[in-house]
Amino acid sequence: MRIAVLADLGQPAYHVGDEAIGHAATAELERRGATVVLLTRDVEDTHNHFGPVEAVPTLTFPWPPAQRADYLRRVTAMATGREPADQAVTDLLRVLSTCDGLLIAGGGNLTSAYGWLLDERVAVAQLADRVGLPVVISGQTLGPLLDEVDAASVASMLQVCRWAGFRDELSVARARALAADGAGRIVDTLDDATFWWPEAQGPRPATGDGGPHVVVTFSPATGGLDPQEVAAALGSALGRFLAARDGRVTFVPHLGTPGVVDGDVAFHDAVAAALGRPATLRPIADAAEAAALVAGADLVVTSRFHPAVFALSHAVPVLALTATEYDVVRLEGLLTRWGMPGWSLPLAGCRTSALSVALDAVWQDRAAIAVHLEGRRPDLRAAHHDWWDAVVDALRDGPLWPAQDAAPNFLPPVPAALPAPEVFVRAHYDHAPLLALSGELARARADADRNRSLAARAATELANLTDSRAYQVLARYRHGVDLVRTASSRLRRPAPEESTR
C-alpha cells in the first residue's frame, strides 16, 4: 500500500514541529505496512532529513489571497477536467495515480493566517479525489481565523475525507459545523507527533547533576507586545528562577533558517542577554534532536506548540505562554487533552509578577504534574494507536463510517483534571481582553490583505477592460468592498480596556 503524505515539509526555514509531524506520520504508516510518498517543497532537503524515502514536489501556492484563490480555482478546474492541467498538477496527478490513499498530516495550517497552506491542502485533496484515492486528515487545528472564502474551501475538502481528526475541541466543533452531513467523520485526536520521539529514537536522555535543567523555546511573535520589552522580561524572570535554584537553561529554537541568526535564534539571543547568568544557546536543530532536548528537561517553558507536545508526552512539567488567540486555541487544547485545562499563561503576564509566580508554582507542583501526566499517558497512547489503525483502514479504502451516526470517541475521557494554580486563573482573567483583541486584529489584517490583493488584481484587469465587461468586474469586487468596510470598522473600535473605563 502506497500512501501520499502531505505535511508542511521542505520550507526554507526549518520548522521543528512540522518536520516532526512528517516523521511521526511516516513512522506510524510504515509501522502498519505502508510505503510512504512525501509531498514536499524541497525534495533534496526532505531526503537529507528523512533518508531514503520517496519524496516528490507538492503544489506551491502564492501568498497573496487573490492570487492563491485564482490558482485554487484553476486547480479545481484542472481536477474536474474543465481546464488543461499545468505541469505541476500533471506531475502530482501522475504520482497520486500510483498511490492508494492520501494523508493530509497535522499542523496548524487550516487557517486564513496561512491561507496558501490551506489552499494547498484543499487542492491536493481535490486531485486525490479525482483519481479515486481515499483521503484522511489527521491532527489538525482549524482556524481560529477562517474567513468565508477559506471556510467554504475547507467545507469542500471535508466532504471528500473518510476521517478528519482535529487536535482540540474548538477545531472539532468548527469542523463539524462546516462538514454538514459528514460531521460523523470529524473526530477528536491528538497531535500527530505525540509519542513520536520515544518510539523512534530510544529512551529519554538523563539530565545533568545540580539544579533544574530548564529548556526554553520562544517565538519572536509577541501578539502586539513590544518584542524587546518581552525579551527583557522573559530573561529577567527566568534569571531569577534559575539563580534561586542554581539551575541551568538551554535555548532550543523551533523555527529558523539553518546557519542564519533569525526567527527563534535571534529572539533567544535577546532573552539570554537579560538572564544575568550563563546559558546554552542552540542553533536550529533536526526535529529528533530538538525533541530529545525537551524530553531531557526538568521544566519546559515555551510559547511554541510542539515543545509542549514533546514535554507532556514525557511527563515533563510545562509552562506554556500564549500571545494570541491562535496560541490559546492550540496550547489550551493540548493541555486539555492531558487533563490540565487552564495551565497556560498569557504572555502579557511577563510584564507583571505573574510569570515569576507561575514559574514557582509549576516547579512546586512538578511532582503532582508528573504523576498526573504519567497516569494519563497509557490511555492516550492506546487512543493514539487506535487512531492510526483507523487511518490505515480508511486509506485501504475500508468502509466509511456512516455520516448520520455519531462519531466514535478515539480519545478517553479525563478521569479528573488537575486544577490550575490561582496565578493562572487570575492571569487569564486579567489578560483575556488582550487575547481577544489579538484575534480581532488578526481578522482585520486578513481582511485587509485579501482586499489589497483584490484591489491590485482589479487595477490590472480594469486597465484592459471594455465597457461591456465593466459590470461583471464591478459585481465581482463588491464583496471585497464590503470586507474592507468590515475590517475598517473593527480597527476603529476602542480596545476593551478603554471601552470599560
Side-chain angles (χ1 to χ4, degrees):
M1 180 173 68
R2 283 168 55 85
I3 301 300
V5 174
L6 177 59
D8 195 9
L9 304 178
Q11 298 279 19
Y14 187 83
H15 193 295
V16 167
D18 288 334
E19 297 281 330
I21 285 171
H23 283 290
T26 298
E28 295 289 354
L29 293 173
E30 289 182 342
R31 193 173 292 123
R32 290 163 175 79
T35 298
V36 170
V37 180
L38 293 176
L39 309 184
T40 174
R41 281 174 178 72
D42 188 329
V43 171
E44 182 179 357
D45 179 77
T46 296
H47 281 148
N48 288 339
H49 290 288
F50 283 77
V53 66
E54 186 176 350
V56 299
T58 184
L59 299 180
T60 300
F61 273 73
W63 286 28
Q67 293 181 30
R68 66 177 173 86
D70 285 343
Y71 189 45
L72 181 58
R73 280 193 292 270
R74 288 176 53 210
V75 173
T76 301
M78 296 175 201
T80 55
R82 299 194 310 272
E83 183 176 321
D86 63 20
Q87 192 61 52
V89 170
T90 298
D91 291 344
L92 185 54
L93 279 171
R94 183 165 52 247
V95 171
L96 292 174
S97 67
T98 70
C99 296
D100 301 293
L102 168 68
L103 173 69
I104 298 176
N109 36 51
L110 294 184
T111 168
S112 296
Y114 306 123
W116 60 96
L117 298 177
L118 183 153
D119 282 348
E120 176 194 357
R121 278 142 187 79
V122 173
V124 174
Q126 289 177 345
L127 296 178
D129 188 54
R130 172 183 169 178
V131 296
L133 300 187
V135 178
V136 172
I137 296 173
S138 181
Q140 276 282 354
T141 294
L142 180 58
L145 177 59
L146 201 66
D147 65 25
E148 292 181 4
V149 175
D150 291 332
S153 295
V154 172
S156 70
M157 178 174 62
L158 292 174
Q159 293 305 310
V160 306
C161 292
R162 290 185 165 266
W163 287 118
F166 293 88
R167 61 191 183 182
D168 63 83
E169 293 172 357
L170 288 175
S171 294
V172 169
R174 288 190 188 97
R176 285 178 177 163
L178 289 175
D181 61 347
R185 300 192 294 273
I186 311 299
V187 295
D188 292 272
T189 61
L190 297 172
D191 179 80
D192 288 353
T194 309
F195 305 121
W196 159 65
W197 183 83
E199 296 181 3
Q201 302 296 326
R204 171 180 169 176
T207 59
D209 297 329
H213 177 208
V214 182
V215 168
V216 300
T217 302
F218 297 129
S219 165
T222 55
L225 302 177
D226 180 75
Q228 293 182 332
E229 179 187 352
V230 170
L234 289 172
S236 178
L238 278 170
R240 288 192 298 271
F241 175 85
L242 295 166
R245 296 163 180 82
D246 192 27
R248 58 196 178 94
V249 61
T250 301
F251 289 80
V252 180
H254 200 73
L255 175 62
T257 308
V260 178
V261 179
D262 66 358
D264 294 3
V265 173
F267 192 68
H268 286 175
D269 286 347
V271 176
L275 275 176
R277 61 190 294 109
T280 301
L281 289 155
R282 306 277 305 195
I284 191 73
D286 182 85
E289 182 180 348
L293 289 165
V294 169
D298 298 307
L299 172 66
V300 171
V301 184
T302 185
S303 59
R304 291 227 179 251
F305 180 77
H306 274 95
V309 171
F310 302 146
L312 292 170
S313 61
H314 285 83
V316 176
V318 176
L319 176 53
L321 303 175
T322 57
T324 66
E325 181 186 47
Y326 180 59
D327 295 337
V328 173
V329 168
R330 294 184 305 153
L331 285 165
E332 273 296 317
L334 170 65
L335 289 162
T336 299
R337 293 284 196 247
W338 285 90
M340 296 181 65
W343 280 79
S344 67
L345 185 79
L347 185 63
C350 73
R351 300 187 300 180
T352 69
S353 62
L355 177 56
S356 291
V357 175
L359 280 166
D360 291 339
V362 173
W363 185 246
Q364 289 169 6
D365 289 348
R366 64 189 182 279
I369 293 171
V371 169
H372 174 84
L373 294 174
E374 290 284 4
R376 182 72 171 144
R377 183 158 56 178
D379 287 343
L380 289 182
R381 273 173 101 71
H384 199 53
H385 183 274
D386 290 346
W387 164 247
W388 282 103
D389 282 349
V391 168
V392 171
D393 286 345
L395 293 174
R396 285 197 180 103
D397 212 15
L400 183 64
W401 191 269
Q404 68 273 16
D405 291 350
N409 188 3
F410 281 101
L411 291 185
V414 181
L418 190 65
E422 176 63 24
V423 61
F424 291 94
V425 178
R426 172 56 60 181
H428 278 279
Y429 177 82
D430 288 344
H431 302 297
L434 282 177
L435 290 169
L437 186 60
S438 78
E440 287 294 308
L441 180 61
R443 281 182 279 277
R445 284 174 170 166
D447 287 346
D449 285 345
R450 183 177 291 278
N451 288 292
R452 274 194 296 268
S453 64
L454 285 169
R457 186 177 67 183
T460 300
E461 291 188 3
L462 286 169
N464 300 304
L465 275 180
T466 61
D467 289 342
S468 62
R469 291 193 57 219
Y471 285 108
Q472 298 175 26
V473 174
L474 180 61
R476 186 189 308 171
Y477 290 105
R478 273 178 176 160
H479 181 62
V481 170
D482 290 340
L483 288 176
V484 170
R485 289 172 177 164
T486 301
S488 298
S489 67
R490 285 177 179 162
L491 288 170
R492 285 195 298 269
R493 290 177 191 169
E497 298 95 330
E498 297 173 349
S499 63
T500 57
R501 283 178 185 169

